[in-house]
Amino acid sequence: MGIGLGITLLVVGAIMSFTTLDSDYIGTNLDVVGWILIAGGALAIILGLIQNAQRTRTAHTVVQERRGGPDVVERDVIDRRDDPRV
């Protein structure tokens, strides 16, 4: 969702900044609002890419309890880029 939101903010900000919209109706400088939306969109895209990169490196711990025996702990590090199931 972060990447899609970032692209939307970039597009809306570019429309507000680079086109000749009549700002008399709103009473604000639409160029400044457009640049703020562009900066927010770029930040949303960067944060979305960082979150997606962190999702590919996950670690899972599986604990199996056995009756009368010691617990078995398996630690499995999954790199989703190499996993054919994903």
Side-chain angles (χ1 to χ4, degrees):
M1 183 176 100
I3 295 174
L5 176 66
I7 291 172
T8 304
L9 288 175
L10 279 175
V11 169
V12 171
I15 290 171
M16 294 179 93
S17 293
F18 302 130
T19 59
T20 56
L21 295 174
D22 192 13
S23 63
D24 293 335
Y25 298 116
I26 300 174
T28 59
N29 188 356
L30 292 180
D31 291 337
V32 174
V33 173
W35 283 108
I36 291 171
L37 289 175
I38 290 173
L43 183 65
I45 289 174
I46 291 170
L47 291 176
L49 291 174
I50 290 172
Q51 286 179 345
N52 284 340
Q54 287 177 349
R55 265 188 218 135
T56 60
R57 295 184 308 268
T58 60
H60 300 280
T61 303
V62 178
V63 177
Q64 297 177 348
E65 297 179 12
R66 296 184 181 181
R67 295 182 188 199
D71 292 340
V72 177
V73 177
E74 299 175 4
R75 182 168 170 85
D76 189 16
V77 177
I78 297 174
D79 189 1
R80 291 188 181 181
R81 292 172 288 188
D82 298 332
D83 193 6
R85 296 176 289 165
V86 177

